[in-house]
């Protein structure tokens, strides 16, 4: 009896609450080469997501998707909302929650119209206009898609014409809604020198939140980048997997909510933590973009699509050249002078890299920058260390036939600095509370236009005085404590306006210096995201350059970022020989941070030879397709290949990551992405002077053989890293 009652209650609840699509309902399929994201209005004109998956040949069939699911009742009727609101029927996490000018907390967004613009032959922009039927409150949802790459960016614009101000309590960029038997979240955590540590788990009911409240250096504990596999954890080559990330360099928040019907709602955007936004009548609030890419053929394909998109459309000069370099950070730390640097400039040439990068410690006089306790903010050359200034070094570099680059950390200030003394109101700190430092420093208030001018000026002055300056390393070492900006009217806007201020500065710099390469560094990988990478050519993944650690880290970053953007330096971290260290750094954008004059003759010769190999292979490593062949997480040998798009040339990096008895490449490793019908030769590169390769480069194999049976790089303790060039012979 009880059962029947429950069932009949459910049926009537369904009739009452599940508003079906009607004849008037509007279906909006957003299709890319392989996928479709389909929106549909219901009888209440609410827009829901009815489908996200492989695209169907017949668009009409999207209308039949909903009926194929016999899930329990959606009491609210808006569980699948494209942009969920608060205060009306929604029972789940909202994307947008507001208090209207009259104090009312409810919001209902109804479909008004939509339009699609073809921006170019690969890119289109869908705009969906939504309006509240009761309040003069509107949202435009944008969905930009790159057809060939299956990449989507979603963001929103929020405005109203109410009589008074509206408070936005939460203002996510976008939502997604997925259906599957189970969902597997792969997320990343970390700290200084431990960036991008993966964890994977099945999502349970309720909300899992990935977020940052650090303000600057926002990725120190975790990035917003994540992946969700449907039904089972995707492998490199199989399974449905969605990658997502917020394009924002400050506090972010990603909510993954598994609801009572076992469906997954993803709501992503800026973190609303301590940040209710007061929106004036007529003002337009634009959220940053939520980026996603879906693959039904595993993680490898998702990465290749994202890499291609990033190189073609996002990263500054993603298809362009990059400079190999010698950095002095670990070679000297703060302890250098003009003579030492001049010697390093000679070493730069001797080594055979393009540029010398002068790191921290070159500035400040009243409080000299001799360690990390003083001087940040006083960007004048230190007269003791550099009596003739940077200009002499730039000239000296030119005389040596190399370029010159420099480190700055313009967003920050040391409490012991003239800048702090002169402009205490430029410093982020609470007026009545003790200061709290991160790496002995504080953050400047980039929400203040005067500070924006100052920060712009730090870099602009360097270029004005030294037009030949060829590279900037832009660092950001502190997080924000005691968030308070002296000149800001509404403190709740601080976190947002800090990041907007940063982007203003970067935009101004790029307008004046459009192409000069800049490295995005944040005490390692504390700031790695696609909003910032529009202004930077590369990022610094981690201060941890132990090559064994880097095999893992670069592997995990590679899910989201192409190698052309990933700086990797050979340093003295780790116990591995120079060959292993160099082979690992060659997977990314190669640099060195060693004392060249301390290298033994053979080590130096090896590095010089490796740089020549890199010069020849860099187009393949940077612009080719990446195939992760064997994971360091579950094999003794990690292997990653890069292949040019013509499938005629490639390189495969193999590293021993386990030192147990007889660990090595016992089984062959299967290549991917080759043309099965072609024949290929494998030739070992970066062979250490005085040793012999055990690879027979005269043999040829069909692509089919290399992908079915595999190749054996002969990795073992005595050959701990092996670089093989793949060359098509027909
Ligand atoms: C940060 C960077 C390092 C180096 C130091 C200099 O830690 O990540 O590469 O530039 O600052 O202080």
């Amino acid at each position: 009896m009880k059962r029947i009652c429950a069932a009949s209650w459910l049926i009537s609840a369904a009739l009452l609450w599940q508003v079906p699509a009607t004849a008037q309902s509007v279906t909006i399929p957003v299709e890319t080469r392989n996928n479709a994201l389909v929106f549909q209005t219901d009888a209440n004109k609410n827009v829901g997501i009815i489908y996200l998956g492989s695209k169907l040949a017949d668009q009409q069939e999207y209308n039949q998707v909903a009926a194929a699911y016999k899930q329990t009742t959606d009491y609210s009727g808006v569980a699948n909302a494209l942009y969920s609101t608060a205060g009306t029927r929604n029972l789940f996490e909202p994307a947008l929650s507001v208090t209207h000018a009259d104090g009312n907390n409810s919001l209902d967004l109804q479909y008004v119209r939509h339009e699609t613009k073809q921006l170019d032959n690969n890119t289109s922009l869908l705009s969906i206009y939504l309006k509240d039927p009761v309040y003069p409150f509107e949202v435009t949802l944008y969905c930009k898609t790159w057809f060939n790459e299956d990449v989507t960016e979603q963001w929103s614009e929020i405005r109203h014409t109410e009589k008074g101000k509206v408070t936005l309590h939460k203002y996510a960029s976008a939502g997604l809604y997925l259906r599957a038997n189970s969902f597997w979240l792969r997320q990343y955590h970390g700290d200084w020198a431990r960036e991008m540590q993966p964890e994977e788990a099945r999502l349970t009911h309720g909300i899992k939140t990935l977020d940052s409240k650090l303000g600057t250096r926002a990725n120190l504990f975790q990035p917003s980048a994540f992946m969700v596999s449907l039904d089972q954890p995707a492998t490199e080559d199989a399974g449905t997997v969605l990658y997502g990330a917020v394009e924002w360099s400050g506090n972010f928040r990603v909510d993954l909510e598994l609801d009572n019907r076992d469906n997954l709602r993803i709501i992503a955007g800026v973190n609303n933590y301590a940040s209710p936004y007061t929106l004036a009548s007529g003002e337009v609030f634009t959220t940053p973009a939520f980026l996603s890419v879906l693959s039904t053929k595993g993680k490898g394909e998702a990465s290749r699509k994202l890499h291609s998109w990033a190189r073609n459309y996002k990263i500054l000069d993603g298809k362009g050249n990059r400079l190999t370099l010698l950095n002095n950070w670990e070679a000297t730390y703060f302890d250098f002078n003009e003579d030492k640097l001049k010697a390093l400039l000679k070493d730069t040439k001797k080594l055979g890299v393009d540029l010398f990068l002068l790191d921290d410690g070159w500035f400040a006089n009243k409080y000299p920058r001799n360690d990390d306790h003083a001087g940040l903010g006083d960007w004048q050359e230190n007269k003791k260390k550099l009596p003739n200034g940077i200009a002499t070094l730039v000239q000296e570099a030119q005389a040596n036939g190399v370029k010159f680059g420099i480190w700055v950390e313009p967003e920050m200030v040391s409490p012991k600095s003239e800048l702090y003394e002169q402009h205490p109101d430029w410093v982020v700190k609470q007026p009545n509370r003790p200061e709290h430092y991160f790496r002995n420093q504080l953050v400047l208030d980039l929400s203040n236009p005067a500070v924006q001018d100052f920060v712009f000026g730090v870099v602009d002055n360097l270029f004005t005085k030294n037009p030949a300056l060829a590279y900037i390393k832009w660092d950001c070492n502190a997080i924000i404590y005691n968030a308070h900006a002296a000149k800001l009217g509404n403190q709740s806007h601080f976190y947002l306006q800090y990041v907007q201020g940063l982007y203003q500065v970067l935009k101004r710099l790029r307008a004046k210096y459009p192409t000069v390469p800049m490295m995005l560094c944040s005490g390692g990988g504390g700031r790695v995201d696609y909003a910032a990478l529009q202004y930077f050519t590369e990022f610094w993944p981690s201060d941890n350059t132990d090559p064994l650690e880097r095999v893992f880290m670069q592997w995990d970053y590679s899910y989201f970022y192409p190698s052309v953007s990933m700086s990797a330096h050979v340093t003295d971290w780790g116990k591995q020989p120079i060959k292993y260290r160099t082979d690992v750094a060659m997977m990314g954008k190669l640099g060195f941070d060693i004392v060249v004059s301390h290298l033994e003759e053979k080590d130096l010769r090896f590095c010089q030879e490796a740089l020549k190999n890199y010069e020849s292979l860099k187009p393949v490593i940077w612009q080719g397709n990446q195939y992760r062949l064997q994971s360091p997480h579950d094999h003794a040998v990690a292997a990653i290949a890069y292949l040019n798009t013509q499938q005629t040339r490639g390189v495969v990096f193999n590293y021993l990551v386990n030192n147990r008895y007889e660990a090595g490449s016992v089984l062959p490793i299967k290549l991917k992405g080759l043309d099965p019908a072609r024949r290929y030769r494998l030739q070992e590169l970066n062979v250490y002077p005085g040793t012999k390769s055990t690879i027979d480069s005269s043999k040829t194999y069909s692509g089919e053989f290399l992908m079915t049976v595999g190749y054996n790089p002969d990795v073992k303790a005595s050959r701990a890293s092996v670089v093989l060039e793949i060359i098509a012979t027909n």
Side-chain angles (χ1 to χ4, degrees), residues 192 217 327 329 334 359-360 369 372 407 409 439 473 475 477 521-524 540 542-543:
W192 178 77
R217 202 172 170 172
N327 189 190
W329 174 238
F334 297 94
D359 214 284
D360 196 355
R369 182 75 173 163
D372 63 12
W407 178 97
E409 194 181 3
R439 209 202 185 200
K473 175 176 175 182
D475 213 338
N477 278 295
C521 176
S522 184
W540 184 234
S542 177
D543 280 354

Side-chain angles (χ1 to χ4, degrees), residues 7 68 106 114 121 206 256 320 352 415 449 491 496 522 619 648 668:
S106 68
H114 75 276
N121 60 9
L256 301 116
Q491 295 299 320
L496 266 173
S522 184
T648 53

Side-chain angles (χ1 to χ4, degrees), residues 544-683:
N544 189 339
T545 46
D546 177 326
L548 186 59
E549 294 298 326
R550 277 298 186 109
V551 170
F552 288 80
M553 247 184 236
Q554 291 172 205
W555 174 278
D556 287 298
Y557 271 114
S558 87
Y559 285 101
F560 302 94
Y561 300 98
S563 62
V564 70
S565 64
M566 213 186 296
S567 293
H569 294 178
V570 177
T571 73
D572 287 333
W573 283 54
K575 298 187 183 80
Q576 290 76 9
I578 193 101
K579 170 170 163 55
Y580 192 103
R581 289 182 269 148
T582 310
D583 289 354
V584 172
M586 269 176 68
M587 262 202 291
K589 204 229 80 176
L590 177 63
F592 290 79
D593 197 344
I594 48 172
V595 185
V596 176
S597 60
H598 291 177
L599 288 178
E600 293 192 8
E601 188 271 329
K602 274 187 183 171
D603 281 0
L604 177 63
R605 207 151 28 101
F606 170 80
C607 292
Q608 291 166 330
E609 211 42 53
L611 274 158
K612 283 186 198 134
N613 292 332
Y614 189 70
E615 189 60 29
S616 139
L617 277 168
K618 68 189 191 186
V620 177
I621 300 171
W622 294 346
Q623 302 297 332
N625 284 318
Q626 187 206 43
Y627 294 88
R628 286 177 296 260
L629 306 178
Q630 222 169 250
S631 168
H633 293 288
D634 31 54
H635 292 88
V637 176
I640 294 191
Y642 300 86
L643 289 178
N644 68 1
T645 44
Q646 302 90 318
Q647 300 165 296
T648 53
R649 191 165 179 230
V651 56
V652 48
F653 295 97
N654 309 273
Y655 312 106
L656 186 65
V657 293
N658 180 326
N659 63 3
R660 295 196 66 182
Y661 180 65
E662 288 202 331
S665 53
V666 179
L667 303 180
I669 300 170
K670 292 184 180 74
L671 268 165
K672 296 175 189 173
L674 298 175
D675 178 347
R678 277 188 196 268
R679 295 199 73 79
Y680 295 92
R681 209 159 61 76
L682 299 178
Q683 180 181 318

Side-chain angles (χ1 to χ4, degrees), residues 143-259:
C143 184
K144 187 172 179 183
T145 45
W146 285 265
F147 186 84
N148 288 324
E149 294 80 10
D150 291 318
V151 166
T152 304
E153 275 182 351
Q154 292 169 266
W155 71 96
S156 65
E157 262 177 22
I158 304 162
R159 61 174 76 77
H160 70 89
T161 51
E162 297 183 20
K163 290 192 184 70
K165 293 182 171 165
V166 171
T167 305
L168 310 182
H169 300 287
K170 190 175 181 197
Y171 34 84
S173 303
L176 284 177
Y177 195 66
L178 296 111
R179 294 177 167 95
N181 285 307
S182 59
F183 299 93
W184 301 80
L185 172 67
R186 195 168 180 85
Q187 61 178 104
Y188 302 85
H189 68 99
D191 202 329
W192 178 77
R194 289 197 294 118
E195 290 86 343
M196 285 306 268
Q197 309 290 318
E199 287 177 303
E200 184 156 294
R202 183 175 172 162
L203 282 168
T204 53
H205 291 84
I207 303 181
K208 168 82 187 179
T209 298
L210 309 176
D211 81 337
S212 173
K213 302 182 180 78
L214 308 183
T216 44
R217 202 172 170 172
N219 300 160
L220 180 64
F221 301 149
Q222 63 179 191
S224 71
F226 68 93
M227 59 179 87
V228 170
S229 297
L230 275 57
D231 297 322
Q232 62 205 13
T235 64
E236 283 298 320
D237 305 303
T240 299
V241 60
L242 177 96
Y243 288 13
V246 184
E247 293 183 32
W248 184 246
S249 310
N251 294 347
F252 60 82
R253 172 169 171 178
V254 180
D255 294 310
L256 301 116
E257 182 172 27
L258 191 61
D259 66 20

Side-chain angles (χ1 to χ4, degrees), residues 43-63:
N44 285 332
K45 296 195 203 158
N46 292 127
V47 185
I49 297 175
I50 58 160
Y51 183 72
L52 173 56
S54 290
K55 104 175 152 188
L56 304 178
D58 176 3
Q59 285 202 348
Q60 292 306 318
E61 289 202 307
Y62 294 127
N63 289 317

Side-chain angles (χ1 to χ4, degrees), residues 9 17 36 297 302 312 447 471 577:
W9 182 82
W17 297 108
K297 298 190 192 83
N312 281 296
S447 71
Y471 187 91

